[in-house]
Amino acid sequence: METVVTDTFFPEKFADSVETVRTRSDPAEIVEHHGAPTRAYGALHSNGPIHSMTIDRRALLPDDVAIDILYCGVCHSDIHMIRGEWGEQPFPMVPGHEFVGRVSAVGQAVTRFAPGDFAGVGCMVDSCCACDSCKAGLEQYCTTGTTLTYASPDPRGPGQTYGGYAERIVVRERFVVKIPDGADLASTAPLLCSGITTFSPLQHWRLGSGQRFAVIGLGGLGHMALKLAVHRGAEATVFTTSEDKAKDAYAMGAKDVVVWQPAATDPIPLVGEMTNRFDFMLSTIPFPFDVSPFLPLLRLDGIFVNVGAPGAIAGVSGGALWGQRRSIAGSCIGGMPETQDVVDYCCTNGIRPQIELIRPDQIDDAYLRVERKDVRYRFVIDLASHRTG
């Protein structure tokens, strides 16, 4: 592995950032691929510690791609799932739904990949592929139910799906993304979740140059939303509960930063100056909160989009939506064509998440740091250096 110092993070320049570049190996002919035990990292029970375990990956089907995983991002939703904060979950659990690696084998019906290619997997690994949503490339809205990358019943194998905190995986070709040649693999991994989750609503609601945009929360999703909005020419404002993130937000292109205090009587300072200001507000807050202070900030036909909290959203009143014909909506990740688009778009334009590489034995500590908001801005597990066999 070649290691070089780079300053190509957009738009800020981190002098101490390290880019990992891997060169493509000559594809080896793979005749057959049998299911095999795979080393993984997960929890045996709810709120349990993350430790090494062995899981079974299924044998290669005709339209499957086998991938040796090199890097996997740590999403806040991984923590919610392990902690049982989003309801009862199946265990043992191997999280991870934003990862990249090298193709090791392909089924006989696979046409887009060959052994040696770099590939990525996001939040989904299957769907019905036949409903109207799937036919439109919106597999995340499959009407018969999307198969998530982990903790979902596996329609192609016994038991449940296991995610990317592992050395290998087998995935249906339709749900595998091509990684462009020369891409920085470690910083590309989070694009498969944090990138697509924020890119998709910006695309759908056509955020463009000159529009006023606000992102609520500057974490793994929020900092990607900021970078994408700035690159599209929007005037961006960041609402954050962490005052020490203001410098980073300005470096990433924010025009304004507002320190939001959810528990205060007046949570948004100088709120009157921002009334009727924003065309588009995107919330990445992963837990329920009171949305009422934000709605008056939307201008005529402005929209508030939630990509964070899965639970109840408090403070929505009919009167607040009547005023200025405001709307509130939700968005869930993105379909496979759009996921390929965001990877290509970000790699072409040098838009990358700011990451911190960790070892598998540091995952528990990383979870605690995410909960303390002590990460800038996405942990990525280096599985390449701990591969067995």
Side-chain angles (χ1 to χ4, degrees), residues 64-92:
D64 275 342
V65 177
I67 302 169
D68 289 341
I69 301 171
L70 301 174
Y71 298 99
C72 181
V74 175
C75 180
H76 203 151
S77 61
D78 298 343
I79 303 172
H80 290 304
M81 293 286 282
I82 289 289
R83 302 278 195 257
E85 295 167 350
W86 286 354
E88 185 176 351
Q89 304 296 335
F91 285 88

PDB file of all heavy atoms in Angstrom, residues 64-92:
ATOM      1  N   ASP A  64     -24.104 -13.147  -7.944  1.00  0.00           N
ATOM      2  CA  ASP A  64     -23.454 -12.641  -6.729  1.00  0.00           C
ATOM      3  C   ASP A  64     -22.032 -12.163  -7.009  1.00  0.00           C
ATOM      4  O   ASP A  64     -21.356 -12.636  -7.926  1.00  0.00           O
ATOM      5  CB  ASP A  64     -23.383 -13.743  -5.670  1.00  0.00           C
ATOM      6  CG  ASP A  64     -24.655 -13.850  -4.847  1.00  0.00           C
ATOM      7  OD1 ASP A  64     -25.446 -12.885  -4.842  1.00  0.00           O
ATOM      8  OD2 ASP A  64     -24.848 -14.892  -4.203  1.00  0.00           O
ATOM      9  N   VAL A  65     -21.598 -11.251  -6.149  1.00  0.00           N
ATOM     10  CA  VAL A  65     -20.226 -10.754  -6.146  1.00  0.00           C
ATOM     11  C   VAL A  65     -19.650 -10.993  -4.756  1.00  0.00           C
ATOM     12  O   VAL A  65     -20.270 -10.620  -3.753  1.00  0.00           O
ATOM     13  CB  VAL A  65     -20.176  -9.247  -6.485  1.00  0.00           C
ATOM     14  CG1 VAL A  65     -18.749  -8.718  -6.401  1.00  0.00           C
ATOM     15  CG2 VAL A  65     -20.762  -8.993  -7.871  1.00  0.00           C
ATOM     16  N   ALA A  66     -18.492 -11.620  -4.677  1.00  0.00           N
ATOM     17  CA  ALA A  66     -17.786 -11.812  -3.409  1.00  0.00           C
ATOM     18  C   ALA A  66     -16.739 -10.710  -3.271  1.00  0.00           C
ATOM     19  O   ALA A  66     -15.994 -10.424  -4.222  1.00  0.00           O
ATOM     20  CB  ALA A  66     -17.133 -13.180  -3.359  1.00  0.00           C
ATOM     21  N   ILE A  67     -16.686 -10.086  -2.090  1.00  0.00           N
ATOM     22  CA  ILE A  67     -15.801  -8.939  -1.875  1.00  0.00           C
ATOM     23  C   ILE A  67     -14.971  -9.153  -0.619  1.00  0.00           C
ATOM     24  O   ILE A  67     -15.508  -9.506   0.438  1.00  0.00           O
ATOM     25  CB  ILE A  67     -16.627  -7.637  -1.718  1.00  0.00           C
ATOM     26  CG1 ILE A  67     -17.504  -7.398  -2.950  1.00  0.00           C
ATOM     27  CG2 ILE A  67     -15.718  -6.442  -1.473  1.00  0.00           C
ATOM     28  CD1 ILE A  67     -18.529  -6.289  -2.761  1.00  0.00           C
ATOM     29  N   ASP A  68     -13.674  -8.935  -0.738  1.00  0.00           N
ATOM     30  CA  ASP A  68     -12.797  -8.850   0.429  1.00  0.00           C
ATOM     31  C   ASP A  68     -12.858  -7.409   0.928  1.00  0.00           C
ATOM     32  O   ASP A  68     -12.425  -6.489   0.222  1.00  0.00           O
ATOM     33  CB  ASP A  68     -11.357  -9.213   0.060  1.00  0.00           C
ATOM     34  CG  ASP A  68     -11.184 -10.695  -0.234  1.00  0.00           C
ATOM     35  OD1 ASP A  68     -12.037 -11.484   0.180  1.00  0.00           O
ATOM     36  OD2 ASP A  68     -10.192 -11.049  -0.894  1.00  0.00           O
ATOM     37  N   ILE A  69     -13.408  -7.220   2.122  1.00  0.00           N
ATOM     38  CA  ILE A  69     -13.645  -5.870   2.638  1.00  0.00           C
ATOM     39  C   ILE A  69     -12.338  -5.264   3.155  1.00  0.00           C
ATOM     40  O   ILE A  69     -11.605  -5.903   3.909  1.00  0.00           O
ATOM     41  CB  ILE A  69     -14.710  -5.895   3.747  1.00  0.00           C
ATOM     42  CG1 ILE A  69     -16.026  -6.465   3.190  1.00  0.00           C
ATOM     43  CG2 ILE A  69     -14.950  -4.494   4.304  1.00  0.00           C
ATOM     44  CD1 ILE A  69     -17.076  -6.742   4.250  1.00  0.00           C
ATOM     45  N   LEU A  70     -12.081  -4.021   2.753  1.00  0.00           N
ATOM     46  CA  LEU A  70     -10.864  -3.315   3.164  1.00  0.00           C
ATOM     47  C   LEU A  70     -11.148  -2.221   4.181  1.00  0.00           C
ATOM     48  O   LEU A  70     -10.406  -2.061   5.151  1.00  0.00           O
ATOM     49  CB  LEU A  70     -10.170  -2.723   1.934  1.00  0.00           C
ATOM     50  CG  LEU A  70      -9.760  -3.734   0.857  1.00  0.00           C
ATOM     51  CD1 LEU A  70      -9.225  -3.005  -0.374  1.00  0.00           C
ATOM     52  CD2 LEU A  70      -8.728  -4.711   1.398  1.00  0.00           C
ATOM     53  N   TYR A  71     -12.212  -1.442   3.967  1.00  0.00           N
ATOM     54  CA  TYR A  71     -12.543  -0.334   4.860  1.00  0.00           C
ATOM     55  C   TYR A  71     -14.051  -0.277   5.074  1.00  0.00           C
ATOM     56  O   TYR A  71     -14.820  -0.421   4.123  1.00  0.00           O
ATOM     57  CB  TYR A  71     -12.072   1.015   4.290  1.00  0.00           C
ATOM     58  CG  TYR A  71     -10.576   1.100   4.106  1.00  0.00           C
ATOM     59  CD1 TYR A  71     -10.003   0.898   2.856  1.00  0.00           C
ATOM     60  CD2 TYR A  71      -9.748   1.378   5.190  1.00  0.00           C
ATOM     61  CE1 TYR A  71      -8.628   0.970   2.683  1.00  0.00           C
ATOM     62  CE2 TYR A  71      -8.373   1.452   5.031  1.00  0.00           C
ATOM     63  CZ  TYR A  71      -7.823   1.243   3.777  1.00  0.00           C
ATOM     64  OH  TYR A  71      -6.461   1.308   3.616  1.00  0.00           O
ATOM     65  N   CYS A  72     -14.467  -0.045   6.321  1.00  0.00           N
ATOM     66  CA  CYS A  72     -15.890   0.066   6.650  1.00  0.00           C
ATOM     67  C   CYS A  72     -16.115   1.240   7.581  1.00  0.00           C
ATOM     68  O   CYS A  72     -15.460   1.351   8.628  1.00  0.00           O
ATOM     69  CB  CYS A  72     -16.401  -1.216   7.306  1.00  0.00           C
ATOM     70  SG  CYS A  72     -18.172  -1.170   7.706  1.00  0.00           S
ATOM     71  N   GLY A  73     -17.031   2.138   7.208  1.00  0.00           N
ATOM     72  CA  GLY A  73     -17.354   3.278   8.047  1.00  0.00           C
ATOM     73  C   GLY A  73     -18.208   2.881   9.240  1.00  0.00           C
ATOM     74  O   GLY A  73     -18.910   1.862   9.225  1.00  0.00           O
ATOM     75  N   VAL A  74     -18.137   3.704  10.285  1.00  0.00           N
ATOM     76  CA  VAL A  74     -18.958   3.529  11.487  1.00  0.00           C
ATOM     77  C   VAL A  74     -20.054   4.587  11.462  1.00  0.00           C
ATOM     78  O   VAL A  74     -19.773   5.787  11.573  1.00  0.00           O
ATOM     79  CB  VAL A  74     -18.118   3.658  12.764  1.00  0.00           C
ATOM     80  CG1 VAL A  74     -19.014   3.600  14.005  1.00  0.00           C
ATOM     81  CG2 VAL A  74     -17.056   2.564  12.822  1.00  0.00           C
ATOM     82  N   CYS A  75     -21.285   4.157  11.281  1.00  0.00           N
ATOM     83  CA  CYS A  75     -22.431   5.061  11.242  1.00  0.00           C
ATOM     84  C   CYS A  75     -23.077   5.109  12.632  1.00  0.00           C
ATOM     85  O   CYS A  75     -23.083   4.113  13.358  1.00  0.00           O
ATOM     86  CB  CYS A  75     -23.431   4.555  10.214  1.00  0.00           C
ATOM     87  SG  CYS A  75     -24.913   5.573  10.046  1.00  0.00           S
ATOM     88  N   HIS A  76     -23.651   6.263  12.976  1.00  0.00           N
ATOM     89  CA  HIS A  76     -24.335   6.374  14.269  1.00  0.00           C
ATOM     90  C   HIS A  76     -25.476   5.360  14.365  1.00  0.00           C
ATOM     91  O   HIS A  76     -25.805   4.889  15.458  1.00  0.00           O
ATOM     92  CB  HIS A  76     -24.859   7.797  14.478  1.00  0.00           C
ATOM     93  CG  HIS A  76     -25.060   8.151  15.906  1.00  0.00           C
ATOM     94  ND1 HIS A  76     -24.955   9.427  16.400  1.00  0.00           N
ATOM     95  CD2 HIS A  76     -25.366   7.396  16.986  1.00  0.00           C
ATOM     96  CE1 HIS A  76     -25.185   9.440  17.702  1.00  0.00           C
ATOM     97  NE2 HIS A  76     -25.452   8.213  18.082  1.00  0.00           N
ATOM     98  N   SER A  77     -26.064   4.997  13.235  1.00  0.00           N
ATOM     99  CA  SER A  77     -27.137   4.008  13.279  1.00  0.00           C
ATOM    100  C   SER A  77     -26.618   2.638  13.740  1.00  0.00           C
ATOM    101  O   SER A  77     -27.376   1.858  14.336  1.00  0.00           O
ATOM    102  CB  SER A  77     -27.820   3.887  11.921  1.00  0.00           C
ATOM    103  OG  SER A  77     -26.917   3.476  10.925  1.00  0.00           O
ATOM    104  N   ASP A  78     -25.334   2.338  13.484  1.00  0.00           N
ATOM    105  CA  ASP A  78     -24.760   1.097  14.017  1.00  0.00           C
ATOM    106  C   ASP A  78     -24.885   1.072  15.540  1.00  0.00           C
ATOM    107  O   ASP A  78     -25.204   0.048  16.145  1.00  0.00           O
ATOM    108  CB  ASP A  78     -23.280   0.976  13.650  1.00  0.00           C
ATOM    109  CG  ASP A  78     -23.034   0.910  12.153  1.00  0.00           C
ATOM    110  OD1 ASP A  78     -23.993   0.639  11.397  1.00  0.00           O
ATOM    111  OD2 ASP A  78     -21.881   1.138  11.732  1.00  0.00           O
ATOM    112  N   ILE A  79     -24.613   2.206  16.146  1.00  0.00           N
ATOM    113  CA  ILE A  79     -24.665   2.312  17.604  1.00  0.00           C
ATOM    114  C   ILE A  79     -26.106   2.168  18.097  1.00  0.00           C
ATOM    115  O   ILE A  79     -26.381   1.456  19.066  1.00  0.00           O
ATOM    116  CB  ILE A  79     -24.049   3.648  18.061  1.00  0.00           C
ATOM    117  CG1 ILE A  79     -22.608   3.755  17.545  1.00  0.00           C
ATOM    118  CG2 ILE A  79     -24.102   3.785  19.583  1.00  0.00           C
ATOM    119  CD1 ILE A  79     -21.965   5.103  17.782  1.00  0.00           C
ATOM    120  N   HIS A  80     -27.023   2.859  17.431  1.00  0.00           N
ATOM    121  CA  HIS A  80     -28.436   2.739  17.814  1.00  0.00           C
ATOM    122  C   HIS A  80     -28.898   1.286  17.742  1.00  0.00           C
ATOM    123  O   HIS A  80     -29.641   0.815  18.609  1.00  0.00           O
ATOM    124  CB  HIS A  80     -29.305   3.594  16.893  1.00  0.00           C
ATOM    125  CG  HIS A  80     -29.144   5.066  17.072  1.00  0.00           C
ATOM    126  ND1 HIS A  80     -29.327   5.684  18.281  1.00  0.00           N
ATOM    127  CD2 HIS A  80     -28.822   6.051  16.197  1.00  0.00           C
ATOM    128  CE1 HIS A  80     -29.134   6.995  18.147  1.00  0.00           C
ATOM    129  NE2 HIS A  80     -28.818   7.227  16.891  1.00  0.00           N
ATOM    130  N   MET A  81     -28.468   0.586  16.714  1.00  0.00           N
ATOM    131  CA  MET A  81     -28.883  -0.816  16.550  1.00  0.00           C
ATOM    132  C   MET A  81     -28.289  -1.710  17.638  1.00  0.00           C
ATOM    133  O   MET A  81     -28.992  -2.516  18.244  1.00  0.00           O
ATOM    134  CB  MET A  81     -28.461  -1.313  15.166  1.00  0.00           C
ATOM    135  CG  MET A  81     -29.199  -0.652  14.014  1.00  0.00           C
ATOM    136  SD  MET A  81     -30.898  -1.224  13.833  1.00  0.00           S
ATOM    137  CE  MET A  81     -30.625  -2.815  13.035  1.00  0.00           C
ATOM    138  N   ILE A  82     -27.000  -1.558  17.885  1.00  0.00           N
ATOM    139  CA  ILE A  82     -26.350  -2.358  18.930  1.00  0.00           C
ATOM    140  C   ILE A  82     -26.953  -2.064  20.295  1.00  0.00           C
ATOM    141  O   ILE A  82     -27.159  -2.968  21.121  1.00  0.00           O
ATOM    142  CB  ILE A  82     -24.829  -2.090  18.945  1.00  0.00           C
ATOM    143  CG1 ILE A  82     -24.155  -2.697  17.710  1.00  0.00           C
ATOM    144  CG2 ILE A  82     -24.196  -2.612  20.230  1.00  0.00           C
ATOM    145  CD1 ILE A  82     -24.079  -4.208  17.719  1.00  0.00           C
ATOM    146  N   ARG A  83     -27.260  -0.809  20.565  1.00  0.00           N
ATOM    147  CA  ARG A  83     -27.806  -0.407  21.866  1.00  0.00           C
ATOM    148  C   ARG A  83     -29.284  -0.778  22.023  1.00  0.00           C
ATOM    149  O   ARG A  83     -29.853  -0.633  23.099  1.00  0.00           O
ATOM    150  CB  ARG A  83     -27.655   1.107  22.057  1.00  0.00           C
ATOM    151  CG  ARG A  83     -26.231   1.639  21.965  1.00  0.00           C
ATOM    152  CD  ARG A  83     -25.496   1.468  23.269  1.00  0.00           C
ATOM    153  NE  ARG A  83     -24.284   2.269  23.298  1.00  0.00           N
ATOM    154  CZ  ARG A  83     -23.047   1.809  23.126  1.00  0.00           C
ATOM    155  NH1 ARG A  83     -22.854   0.513  22.915  1.00  0.00           N
ATOM    156  NH2 ARG A  83     -21.987   2.617  23.165  1.00  0.00           N
ATOM    157  N   GLY A  84     -29.941  -1.188  20.940  1.00  0.00           N
ATOM    158  CA  GLY A  84     -31.363  -1.477  21.012  1.00  0.00           C
ATOM    159  C   GLY A  84     -32.224  -0.238  21.092  1.00  0.00           C
ATOM    160  O   GLY A  84     -33.390  -0.306  21.507  1.00  0.00           O
ATOM    161  N   GLU A  85     -31.695   0.899  20.655  1.00  0.00           N
ATOM    162  CA  GLU A  85     -32.413   2.165  20.755  1.00  0.00           C
ATOM    163  C   GLU A  85     -33.462   2.331  19.661  1.00  0.00           C
ATOM    164  O   GLU A  85     -34.290   3.239  19.738  1.00  0.00           O
ATOM    165  CB  GLU A  85     -31.411   3.324  20.724  1.00  0.00           C
ATOM    166  CG  GLU A  85     -30.488   3.344  21.935  1.00  0.00           C
ATOM    167  CD  GLU A  85     -29.292   4.281  21.793  1.00  0.00           C
ATOM    168  OE1 GLU A  85     -29.061   4.789  20.673  1.00  0.00           O
ATOM    169  OE2 GLU A  85     -28.588   4.484  22.796  1.00  0.00           O
ATOM    170  N   TRP A  86     -33.422   1.477  18.653  1.00  0.00           N
ATOM    171  CA  TRP A  86     -34.427   1.505  17.597  1.00  0.00           C
ATOM    172  C   TRP A  86     -35.302   0.256  17.645  1.00  0.00           C
ATOM    173  O   TRP A  86     -35.774  -0.242  16.637  1.00  0.00           O
ATOM    174  CB  TRP A  86     -33.747   1.630  16.234  1.00  0.00           C
ATOM    175  CG  TRP A  86     -33.193   3.009  15.973  1.00  0.00           C
ATOM    176  CD1 TRP A  86     -33.336   4.120  16.753  1.00  0.00           C
ATOM    177  CD2 TRP A  86     -32.417   3.411  14.845  1.00  0.00           C
ATOM    178  NE1 TRP A  86     -32.688   5.197  16.187  1.00  0.00           N
ATOM    179  CE2 TRP A  86     -32.119   4.791  15.024  1.00  0.00           C
ATOM    180  CE3 TRP A  86     -31.936   2.759  13.720  1.00  0.00           C
ATOM    181  CZ2 TRP A  86     -31.362   5.511  14.099  1.00  0.00           C
ATOM    182  CZ3 TRP A  86     -31.194   3.472  12.798  1.00  0.00           C
ATOM    183  CH2 TRP A  86     -30.910   4.838  12.986  1.00  0.00           C
ATOM    184  N   GLY A  87     -35.537  -0.241  18.836  1.00  0.00           N
ATOM    185  CA  GLY A  87     -36.371  -1.406  19.006  1.00  0.00           C
ATOM    186  C   GLY A  87     -35.567  -2.691  19.110  1.00  0.00           C
ATOM    187  O   GLY A  87     -34.344  -2.707  18.975  1.00  0.00           O
ATOM    188  N   GLU A  88     -36.265  -3.783  19.367  1.00  0.00           N
ATOM    189  CA  GLU A  88     -35.614  -5.076  19.530  1.00  0.00           C
ATOM    190  C   GLU A  88     -34.976  -5.517  18.220  1.00  0.00           C
ATOM    191  O   GLU A  88     -35.578  -5.405  17.144  1.00  0.00           O
ATOM    192  CB  GLU A  88     -36.641  -6.110  19.999  1.00  0.00           C
ATOM    193  CG  GLU A  88     -36.044  -7.471  20.326  1.00  0.00           C
ATOM    194  CD  GLU A  88     -37.074  -8.433  20.863  1.00  0.00           C
ATOM    195  OE1 GLU A  88     -38.207  -7.991  21.138  1.00  0.00           O
ATOM    196  OE2 GLU A  88     -36.743  -9.637  21.003  1.00  0.00           O
ATOM    197  N   GLN A  89     -33.760  -6.045  18.303  1.00  0.00           N
ATOM    198  CA  GLN A  89     -33.009  -6.438  17.122  1.00  0.00           C
ATOM    199  C   GLN A  89     -32.529  -7.883  17.248  1.00  0.00           C
ATOM    200  O   GLN A  89     -32.405  -8.417  18.356  1.00  0.00           O
ATOM    201  CB  GLN A  89     -31.795  -5.516  16.929  1.00  0.00           C
ATOM    202  CG  GLN A  89     -32.121  -4.034  16.845  1.00  0.00           C
ATOM    203  CD  GLN A  89     -32.960  -3.684  15.637  1.00  0.00           C
ATOM    204  OE1 GLN A  89     -32.935  -4.386  14.630  1.00  0.00           O
ATOM    205  NE2 GLN A  89     -33.720  -2.592  15.732  1.00  0.00           N
ATOM    206  N   PRO A  90     -32.217  -8.527  16.119  1.00  0.00           N
ATOM    207  CA  PRO A  90     -31.698  -9.905  16.165  1.00  0.00           C
ATOM    208  C   PRO A  90     -30.203  -9.910  16.504  1.00  0.00           C
ATOM    209  O   PRO A  90     -29.441  -9.057  16.034  1.00  0.00           O
ATOM    210  CB  PRO A  90     -31.940 -10.420  14.747  1.00  0.00           C
ATOM    211  CG  PRO A  90     -31.880  -9.190  13.891  1.00  0.00           C
ATOM    212  CD  PRO A  90     -32.457  -8.077  14.732  1.00  0.00           C
ATOM    213  N   PHE A  91     -29.799 -10.851  17.313  1.00  0.00           N
ATOM    214  CA  PHE A  91     -28.391 -11.021  17.677  1.00  0.00           C
ATOM    215  C   PHE A  91     -28.019 -12.490  17.507  1.00  0.00           C
ATOM    216  O   PHE A  91     -28.894 -13.363  17.592  1.00  0.00           O
ATOM    217  CB  PHE A  91     -28.148 -10.555  19.122  1.00  0.00           C
ATOM    218  CG  PHE A  91     -28.147  -9.061  19.273  1.00  0.00           C
ATOM    219  CD1 PHE A  91     -29.326  -8.365  19.500  1.00  0.00           C
ATOM    220  CD2 PHE A  91     -26.957  -8.349  19.180  1.00  0.00           C
ATOM    221  CE1 PHE A  91     -29.324  -6.984  19.628  1.00  0.00           C
ATOM    222  CE2 PHE A  91     -26.944  -6.969  19.311  1.00  0.00           C
ATOM    223  CZ  PHE A  91     -28.133  -6.286  19.538  1.00  0.00           C
ATOM    224  N   PRO A  92     -26.746 -12.766  17.256  1.00  0.00           N
ATOM    225  CA  PRO A  92     -25.629 -11.833  17.184  1.00  0.00           C
ATOM    226  C   PRO A  92     -25.760 -10.881  15.998  1.00  0.00           C
ATOM    227  O   PRO A  92     -26.404 -11.216  15.003  1.00  0.00           O
ATOM    228  CB  PRO A  92     -24.407 -12.743  17.032  1.00  0.00           C
ATOM    229  CG  PRO A  92     -24.952 -13.996  16.431  1.00  0.00           C
ATOM    230  CD  PRO A  92     -26.324 -14.155  17.013  1.00  0.00           C
TER     231      PRO A  92
END
